Amino acid sequence: MTLTLAGIEHVIAGSGAGEAIEALLPAAARHRQLTAGTLLAGQMLALADGRPAHLTRVLEALTSLPEDDQKRLRVIEDWKTGPHQLTYRQVEHTARLIRQALDKDQPDGAPSAELQQICDQLTEASIPALFKDASTSLAVDWTDVEAWARPVPASAAGTGTDPEARWGHRNVANAVQEGEMFFGYYLSAATMVKDENGPPVPELARRITLCSSAHDPAAALAGVLTAMPADGTALGDIIADSGYSHRLPRTWAVPLRGAGASLVQDLHPSDRGPQGTHNGAVICNGCLYCPATPQALLQLIPLPAGASADEVAAHDQQTAELAHYKLGIHAADDADGHRRHTCPATAGKIRCPLRPASMTLGRDRPEILSPPGHPPACCTQQTITAGPGVAAKTRQKHDYPSTKWRQSYRRRTASERLNASVKNTATGSIDRGWIRLMGLTPLTLFLACMTVARNQRILATWQARQDNDAHRAAATRPP
């Protein structure tokens, strides 16, 4: 327990969260024995020990520490009448003060700026310096968190003992339309994964946020992620499923691109395939293609789970053929997000009679046998310009659904493992009853503490695995 406490105190001290919360608390005439930092430590100790997020368990965790630690953390303090050990009433009083300080004046189901900053500080402080710059890639996902309060009818939203909680959908067996309703909040998390061609990294949760089911969880997480560069954390690949990519571009894709992120995401079925044209070029899966591209290639979708080796090889061959018809990038995006594209025949990827010079290319390239009778601008001009609004929702780092996209998107499973770990009854599940406090603020703080405890557990497992691999390597045995 002492070692665990030392690690927890290191995270809290490094985050500055305790001091930040104390600065927001009202001054009182009477001395307050329990500090915000000690309360956070108690929450993390309780959660690290697999206990539920109850204030009684926080008190138990603090009062079960060695006496020297209790005195140092002021769990035991000298009063006029002698040594006084912390009571539940004092824990509840400090928790109430913190909630009042971090709540919005008008609670709306989203965290206040101060509350979100505390969460960001705690999660970032739980990332060791060794791994802070080891990767810029994040896998994102959200999951449901049921409120402890008794649900109220949707027509009576904003009432009851937890006015911020709302009815929402939770995914069951990857079929939202066949899912079920729940009353509570959405927990969104961004998990560290290795960069493409980079070294492995521990799957640590780097950011979390919470919002009621009345809010869009994708937009809520986008606001948290776009704030990371200002805090000194660069954004790289953001790997997301179609629940994120299907959002309005202004709430997800556009702000993330503006913050320097590269999107690697699955597309919703309604966003796949041809989606109109731009200067004659076919807009498909976030790219611009020659108007003579075979329709069968434009209708390609990702491979299903469990595809055989032959199916994978055939799919890779088709996506490689589709890449020949993609318009080339003549110049990178300018400051306003405009990009210049050139005809694939001009780029030397296909043979087309409308571009006579391309007909001298080798016959290993596809040939356009029936060019448009009235060639559009993409076939006659040297280049065309696509503004930031062209394929704003679906444009991403790799061609969809190419081999590179599939290999890169595989990293998203890290976010699924995070969701599984926070709902694992063996280590402490966030199922209903895990916390019995009402409102978004106490729930968010406990979830932030849970994230820190989880990160510490992941780091310990990672280090043990690295030590074991080093030991086996020294004995000339495979890892």
Side-chain angles (χ1 to χ4, degrees):
M1 181 66 77
T2 304
L3 290 177
T4 303
L5 176 62
I8 287 173
E9 288 188 285
H10 177 75
V11 170
I12 295 174
S15 70
E19 294 82 355
I21 294 175
E22 285 289 344
L24 297 173
L25 299 184
R30 293 184 60 184
H31 167 71
R32 177 165 43 83
Q33 180 175 344
L34 179 60
T35 65
T38 299
L39 180 60
L40 290 174
Q43 292 181 198
M44 293 181 192
L45 284 169
L47 296 170
D49 200 31
R51 311 183 195 192
H54 302 167
L55 293 181
T56 54
R57 300 305 183 97
V58 173
L59 178 62
E60 289 176 4
L62 290 173
T63 55
S64 63
L65 291 171
E67 185 174 347
D68 290 344
D69 288 331
Q70 290 191 53
K71 290 180 178 179
R72 181 171 51 82
L73 294 173
R74 288 166 46 183
V75 176
I76 295 178
E77 195 172 54
D78 288 332
W79 283 18
K80 292 181 180 179
T81 56
H84 176 269
Q85 191 176 53
L86 195 68
T87 65
Y88 176 78
R89 183 177 178 181
Q90 291 174 299
V91 174
E92 188 179 39
H93 174 66
T94 301
R96 182 171 61 253
L97 290 179
I98 292 175
R99 173 179 178 169
Q100 292 170 350
L102 295 178
D103 264 347
K104 286 184 174 180
D105 294 334
Q106 297 293 329
D108 59 0
S112 64
E114 295 81 5
L115 176 58
Q116 187 60 56
Q117 184 178 17
I118 295 297
C119 288
D120 295 347
Q121 290 173 334
L122 286 171
T123 52
E124 187 63 30
S126 68
I127 309 295
L130 176 65
F131 298 113
K132 282 189 180 293
D133 299 319
S135 171
T136 59
S137 300
L138 298 169
V140 301
D141 201 8
W142 75 71
T143 190
D144 58 282
V145 182
E146 285 195 69
W148 173 242
R150 176 175 299 202
V152 299
S155 58
T159 63
T161 53
D162 193 346
E164 294 183 87
R166 292 293 188 275
W167 285 100
H169 282 278
R170 67 173 143 217
N171 199 336
V172 177
N174 296 322
V176 174
Q177 67 275 12
E178 298 176 2
E180 59 186 15
M181 301 291 289
F182 76 98
F183 185 72
Y185 300 88
Y186 285 126
L187 168 64
S188 301
T191 307
M192 287 179 58
V193 295
K194 74 182 190 73
D195 290 330
E196 291 180 356
N197 304 317
V201 295
E203 295 175 352
L204 304 175
R206 194 149 200 175
R207 288 294 186 275
I208 68 163
T209 191
L210 192 74
C211 65
S212 79
S213 305
H215 291 264
D216 180 4
L221 184 59
V224 174
L225 296 179
T226 53
M228 291 177 64
D231 295 333
T233 305
L235 287 180
D237 296 346
I238 303 296
I239 310 154
D241 63 14
S242 60
Y244 288 88
S245 66
H246 192 49
R247 261 44 189 187
L248 293 174
R250 68 173 182 271
T251 64
W252 176 252
V254 171
L256 285 173
R257 290 195 195 101
S262 299
L263 300 179
V264 179
Q265 52 192 11
D266 194 9
L267 298 183
H268 190 274
S270 64
D271 295 326
R272 298 172 182 170
Q275 302 285 329
T277 62
H278 175 70
N279 286 341
V282 179
I283 303 173
C284 179
N285 297 336
C287 300
L288 296 179
Y289 290 97
C290 169
T293 304
Q295 283 297 312
L297 296 180
L298 296 175
Q299 300 295 336
L300 288 174
I301 61 174
L303 282 166
S308 66
D310 290 341
E311 291 173 329
V312 171
H315 188 272
D316 290 348
Q317 188 275 329
Q318 290 177 310
T319 56
E321 184 178 356
L322 175 62
H324 283 285
Y325 295 90
K326 178 187 171 184
L327 269 65
I329 298 176
H330 185 75
D333 293 11
D334 61 18
D336 296 325
H338 292 77
R339 176 186 293 182
R340 294 171 65 193
H341 296 266
T342 186
C343 167
T346 302
K349 297 196 291 182
I350 61 174
R351 293 158 48 93
C352 179
L354 296 178
R355 303 286 187 178
S358 70
M359 299 303 290
T360 63
L361 297 171
R363 293 189 176 275
D364 58 333
R365 294 168 175 80
E367 182 175 345
I368 305 300
L369 300 178
S370 301
H374 300 281
C378 67
C379 296
T380 58
Q381 296 178 185
Q382 190 67 22
T383 62
I384 60 172
T385 300
V390 177
K393 179 192 290 189
T394 54
R395 192 167 72 248
Q396 54 182 305
K397 181 177 181 179
H398 299 297
D399 297 353
Y400 180 91
S402 65
T403 304
K404 286 186 177 180
W405 174 86
R406 184 179 70 251
Q407 294 170 345
S408 182
Y409 185 72
R410 284 175 181 167
R411 297 175 291 166
R412 201 195 74 85
T413 55
S415 62
E416 300 286 357
R417 285 187 286 274
L418 183 144
N419 288 343
S421 69
V422 301
K423 294 194 173 184
N424 182 2
T425 55
T427 56
S429 174
I430 60 172
D431 290 338
R432 186 170 185 267
W434 171 76
I435 184 171
R436 296 182 180 180
L437 298 174
M438 311 297 182
L440 179 138
T441 297
L443 178 56
T444 302
L445 279 177
F446 262 111
L447 287 170
C449 291
M450 178 207 67
T451 301
V452 172
R454 176 196 174 274
N455 282 353
Q456 298 300 103
R457 187 170 64 250
I458 294 295
L459 284 168
T461 303
W462 168 272
Q463 189 58 52
R465 187 162 53 246
Q466 297 301 306
D467 293 344
N468 181 62
D469 289 347
H471 176 73
R472 294 178 68 87
T476 65
R477 298 167 62 189

